């Protein structure tokens, strides 16, 4: 199958598009559809999959998960109505309230990266889990136990400041040569050739990221650091939004 065109990369705020069915698979848990293009964000990069709908005359697939497998997005869910056939023209639509929540959670993770540097802990980020059920970010570097409470308070204050100041989230394509100068999880998943999508929050240099984001940093609402704890030589920060 040809790679699915990932419309969310080109037009991050587009919620609906027409598409064509390329493959239909009946699986034990439900139906799996491959489309030529999609607005749904497939699970990855620490962000949970979008939910949404694929619709045509006489059929609706309530998509519970989208996954990117070898460049192809598989939409899995529950079918109502007639089983679609390859070639069928459909509308694909994102569940907007959930997309907003996922974008707020993801952007908040980037904001914590900026806040960590702001409070004098410029540790390299090693992991981000921006799912609604207990989001956290992790950094290579530890804060001594007796300073963790004050670091947590400082982080909260810095997040308040950044959110109140507000600023547009910038998304652009960067050439591979630019990447070494950028912070974040650069070496982990960045392709070696071709441009990489780079997301910049709060005027920072930016980091490679394929996820979905808010337009303005005010949108996550008040960010809160729930827990700051050491984990081996790492620091894990659990957080909440809004
Ligand atoms: Zn990101």
């Amino acid at each position: 199958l040809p790679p699915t065109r990932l419309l969310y990369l080109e037009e991050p705020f587009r919620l609906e598009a027409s598409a064509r069915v390329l493959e239909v698979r009946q699986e034990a848990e439900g139906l799996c559809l491959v489309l030529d293009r999609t607005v749904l964000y497939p699970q990855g990069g620490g962000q949970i999959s979008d939910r949404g709908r694929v619709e045509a005359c006489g059929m609706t697939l309530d998509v519970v998960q989208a996954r990117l497998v070898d460049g192809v997005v598989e939409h899995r869910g529950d079918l109502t109505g007639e089983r679609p056939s390859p070639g069928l023209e459909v509308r694909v639509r994102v569940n907007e309230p959930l997309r907003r929540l996922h974008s707020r959670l993801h952007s908040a993770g980037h904001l914590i990266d900026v806040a960590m540097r702001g409070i004098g802990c410029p540790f390299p980020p090693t992991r981000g889990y921006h799912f609604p059920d207990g989001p956290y970010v992790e950094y290579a570097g530890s804060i001594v136990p007796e300073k963790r409470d004050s670091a947590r308070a400082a982080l909260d204050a810095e997040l308040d400041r950044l959110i109140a100041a507000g600023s547009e989230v910038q998304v652009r394509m960067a050439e591979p040569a630019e990447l070494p100068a950028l912070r974040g999880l650069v070496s982990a998943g960045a392709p070696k050739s071709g441009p990489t999508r780079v997301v910049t929050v709060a005027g920072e240099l930016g980091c490679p990221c394929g996820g979905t984001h808010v337009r303005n940093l005010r949108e996550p609402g008040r960010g809160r650091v729930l827990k700051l704890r050491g984990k081996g030589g790492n620091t894990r920060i659990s957080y909440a939004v809004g």
Side-chain angles (χ1 to χ4, degrees):
L1 287 170
T4 309
R5 189 161 157 203
L6 308 174
L7 294 172
Y8 63 86
L9 288 179
E10 304 162 29
E11 298 173 80
F13 302 109
R14 184 164 177 176
L15 299 172
E16 196 182 328
S18 62
R20 190 177 292 276
V21 174
L22 297 185
E23 195 175 77
V24 183
R25 264 181 261 155
Q26 185 64 52
E27 296 176 343
E29 320 82 61
L31 199 71
C32 171
L33 286 188
V34 173
L35 310 175
D36 62 345
R37 53 191 213 144
T38 191
V39 285
L40 264 62
Y41 180 80
Q43 194 149 308
Q47 186 175 329
I48 196 168
S49 161
D50 271 331
R51 288 180 173 236
R53 273 191 167 169
V54 178
E55 286 174 307
C57 191
M59 66 131 308
T60 300
L61 184 76
D62 273 307
V63 181
V64 294
Q65 193 181 53
R67 283 209 97 104
L68 185 61
V69 181
D70 297 329
V72 168
V73 178
E74 301 174 339
H75 304 75
R76 288 196 171 77
D78 304 314
L79 178 71
T80 315
E82 258 175 74
R83 190 182 146 141
S85 301
L88 183 71
E89 283 279 353
V90 293
R91 294 294 292 173
V92 53
R93 210 167 282 163
V94 174
N95 176 318
E96 188 176 0
L98 281 177
R99 161 65 74 80
R100 276 181 188 279
L101 172 66
H102 302 159
S103 299
R104 286 164 65 217
L105 287 165
H106 188 140
S107 295
H110 283 255
L111 205 52
I112 294 172
D113 292 352
V114 177
M116 280 291 275
R117 295 193 284 279
I119 67 161
C121 297
F123 304 150
T126 53
R127 209 173 160 204
Y129 180 82
H130 312 295
F131 285 40
D133 65 332
Y136 65 85
V137 281
E138 233 175 71
Y139 300 90
S142 56
I143 298 171
V144 291
E146 56 273 27
K147 290 205 167 156
R148 281 176 199 159
D149 281 348
S150 60
R152 187 186 137 174
L155 255 186
D156 264 336
E158 183 66 358
L159 283 174
D160 278 349
R161 193 185 68 75
L162 290 165
I163 290 167
S167 68
E168 298 292 312
V169 174
Q170 313 280 344
V171 178
R172 68 185 178 92
M173 299 307 284
E175 292 303 321
E178 282 183 71
L179 296 183
L182 303 177
R183 286 187 173 273
L185 303 165
V186 178
S187 53
K192 299 283 177 280
S193 65
T196 298
R197 189 165 176 265
V198 167
V199 171
T200 302
V201 301
E204 287 270 306
L205 283 169
C207 75
C209 173
T212 69
H213 289 275
V214 297
R215 288 172 202 266
N216 192 291
L217 291 183
R218 285 195 198 94
E219 286 173 54
R222 191 169 173 268
R224 238 166 2 110
V225 173
L226 300 177
K227 237 192 279 171
L228 187 156
R229 62 189 176 105
K231 223 179 151 271
N234 288 356
T235 296
R236 178 182 284 197
I237 293 163
S238 305
Y239 67 93
V241 295

